[in-house]
Short mmCIF file of all heavy atoms in Angstrom, two decimals:
data_model
loop_
_atom_site.label_atom_id
_atom_site.label_comp_id
_atom_site.label_asym_id
_atom_site.label_seq_id
_atom_site.Cartn_x
_atom_site.Cartn_y
_atom_site.Cartn_z
N PRO A 948 2.35 4.76 1.06
CA PRO A 948 2.47 5.47 2.33
C PRO A 948 1.55 6.69 2.37
O PRO A 948 1.36 7.36 1.37
CB PRO A 948 3.93 5.90 2.38
CG PRO A 948 4.63 5.13 1.33
CD PRO A 948 3.60 4.72 0.34
N ARG A 949 1.00 6.96 3.55
CA ARG A 949 0.13 8.13 3.70
C ARG A 949 0.80 9.22 4.53
O ARG A 949 0.51 10.40 4.37
CB ARG A 949 -1.18 7.71 4.35
CG ARG A 949 -1.98 6.78 3.46
CD ARG A 949 -3.18 6.27 4.16
NE ARG A 949 -4.01 7.38 4.57
CZ ARG A 949 -5.32 7.34 4.64
NH1 ARG A 949 -5.94 6.24 4.32
NH2 ARG A 949 -6.01 8.37 5.04
N THR A 950 1.63 8.84 5.48
CA THR A 950 2.29 9.86 6.31
C THR A 950 3.77 9.99 5.97
O THR A 950 4.32 11.07 6.00
CB THR A 950 2.16 9.53 7.81
OG1 THR A 950 2.60 8.20 8.04
CG2 THR A 950 0.73 9.69 8.28
N HIS A 951 4.42 8.88 5.65
CA HIS A 951 5.85 8.88 5.35
C HIS A 951 6.00 8.92 3.83
O HIS A 951 6.44 7.97 3.20
CB HIS A 951 6.50 7.61 5.91
CG HIS A 951 6.32 7.42 7.37
ND1 HIS A 951 5.10 7.11 7.93
CD2 HIS A 951 7.19 7.51 8.40
CE1 HIS A 951 5.26 7.00 9.24
NE2 HIS A 951 6.50 7.25 9.55
N THR A 952 5.65 10.06 3.22
CA THR A 952 5.54 10.13 1.77
C THR A 952 6.77 10.69 1.05
O THR A 952 6.87 10.56 -0.16
CB THR A 952 4.33 10.97 1.36
OG1 THR A 952 4.43 12.26 1.98
CG2 THR A 952 3.03 10.31 1.79
N SER A 953 7.68 11.30 1.76
CA SER A 953 8.87 11.84 1.11
C SER A 953 9.98 11.96 2.15
O SER A 953 9.72 11.99 3.35
CB SER A 953 8.59 13.22 0.51
OG SER A 953 8.51 14.19 1.52
N PRO A 954 11.23 12.05 1.70
CA PRO A 954 12.34 12.21 2.66
C PRO A 954 12.18 13.44 3.55
O PRO A 954 12.54 13.41 4.72
CB PRO A 954 13.57 12.33 1.76
CG PRO A 954 13.19 11.64 0.49
CD PRO A 954 11.71 11.90 0.33
N ILE A 955 11.63 14.51 3.00
CA ILE A 955 11.45 15.73 3.80
C ILE A 955 10.44 15.48 4.92
O ILE A 955 10.66 15.85 6.07
CB ILE A 955 11.00 16.91 2.91
CG1 ILE A 955 12.13 17.29 1.96
CG2 ILE A 955 10.56 18.10 3.74
CD1 ILE A 955 11.74 18.29 0.88
N ILE A 956 9.33 14.84 4.58
CA ILE A 956 8.31 14.56 5.60
C ILE A 956 8.84 13.59 6.63
O ILE A 956 8.62 13.75 7.84
CB ILE A 956 7.01 14.05 4.95
CG1 ILE A 956 6.37 15.19 4.16
CG2 ILE A 956 6.05 13.50 6.00
CD1 ILE A 956 5.13 14.82 3.39
N ILE A 957 9.59 12.58 6.19
CA ILE A 957 10.18 11.62 7.13
C ILE A 957 11.09 12.36 8.11
O ILE A 957 11.02 12.12 9.32
CB ILE A 957 10.94 10.51 6.38
CG1 ILE A 957 9.94 9.62 5.62
CG2 ILE A 957 11.80 9.68 7.33
CD1 ILE A 957 10.57 8.67 4.64
N GLN A 958 11.91 13.27 7.62
CA GLN A 958 12.79 14.04 8.50
C GLN A 958 11.99 14.92 9.46
O GLN A 958 12.33 15.04 10.63
CB GLN A 958 13.78 14.88 7.69
CG GLN A 958 14.85 15.53 8.52
CD GLN A 958 15.62 14.52 9.37
OE1 GLN A 958 16.00 13.45 8.90
NE2 GLN A 958 15.82 14.84 10.63
N MET A 959 10.93 15.52 8.96
CA MET A 959 10.09 16.36 9.82
C MET A 959 9.44 15.52 10.93
O MET A 959 9.38 15.95 12.08
CB MET A 959 9.02 17.06 9.00
CG MET A 959 9.56 18.14 8.08
SD MET A 959 8.31 18.83 6.98
CE MET A 959 7.28 19.69 8.15
N LEU A 960 8.97 14.33 10.58
CA LEU A 960 8.37 13.45 11.59
C LEU A 960 9.40 13.04 12.63
O LEU A 960 9.10 12.99 13.83
CB LEU A 960 7.76 12.21 10.93
CG LEU A 960 6.51 12.47 10.08
CD1 LEU A 960 6.15 11.22 9.29
CD2 LEU A 960 5.35 12.92 10.94
N LYS A 961 10.62 12.76 12.19
CA LYS A 961 11.68 12.37 13.13
C LYS A 961 12.06 13.51 14.06
O LYS A 961 12.55 13.28 15.17
CB LYS A 961 12.92 11.91 12.36
CG LYS A 961 12.76 10.54 11.74
CD LYS A 961 14.04 10.12 11.02
CE LYS A 961 13.90 8.73 10.45
NZ LYS A 961 15.12 8.27 9.80
N SER A 962 11.85 14.75 13.62
CA SER A 962 12.26 15.89 14.45
C SER A 962 11.17 16.32 15.45
O SER A 962 11.42 17.19 16.28
CB SER A 962 12.64 17.07 13.56
OG SER A 962 11.49 17.59 12.91
N LEU A 963 10.00 15.70 15.37
CA LEU A 963 8.94 16.04 16.33
C LEU A 963 9.32 15.62 17.74
O LEU A 963 10.00 14.61 17.93
CB LEU A 963 7.63 15.34 15.96
CG LEU A 963 6.90 15.81 14.71
CD1 LEU A 963 5.73 14.89 14.42
CD2 LEU A 963 6.42 17.23 14.87
N ILE A 968 4.61 13.57 18.94
CA ILE A 968 4.40 12.27 18.30
C ILE A 968 3.25 11.54 18.99
O ILE A 968 2.38 10.97 18.32
CB ILE A 968 5.69 11.42 18.33
CG1 ILE A 968 6.72 12.02 17.39
CG2 ILE A 968 5.39 9.97 17.94
CD1 ILE A 968 8.09 11.38 17.48
N LYS A 971 -0.03 13.18 17.96
CA LYS A 971 -0.40 12.84 16.59
C LYS A 971 -0.83 11.38 16.48
O LYS A 971 -1.80 11.07 15.79
CB LYS A 971 0.76 13.14 15.63
CG LYS A 971 1.01 14.64 15.44
CD LYS A 971 2.01 14.93 14.36
CE LYS A 971 1.44 15.01 12.99
NZ LYS A 971 0.25 15.76 12.73
N ILE A 1007 3.06 7.09 13.75
CA ILE A 1007 4.42 7.63 13.62
C ILE A 1007 5.33 6.81 14.53
O ILE A 1007 5.01 6.59 15.70
CB ILE A 1007 4.47 9.12 14.01
CG1 ILE A 1007 3.54 9.92 13.09
CG2 ILE A 1007 5.90 9.65 13.95
CD1 ILE A 1007 3.31 11.34 13.56
N THR A 1008 6.42 6.35 13.99
CA THR A 1008 7.35 5.52 14.74
C THR A 1008 7.99 6.32 15.87
O THR A 1008 8.40 7.47 15.68
CB THR A 1008 8.46 4.98 13.81
OG1 THR A 1008 7.84 4.27 12.75
CG2 THR A 1008 9.42 4.08 14.55
#
Side-chain angles (χ1 to χ4, degrees):
R949 294 174 59 147
T950 52
H951 303 70
T952 55
S953 75
I955 292 171
I956 292 176
I957 291 169
Q958 189 55 45
M959 290 174 68
L960 291 170
K961 286 182 178 182
S962 69
L963 290 173
I968 290 172
K971 290 188 85 46
I1007 299 169
T1008 303

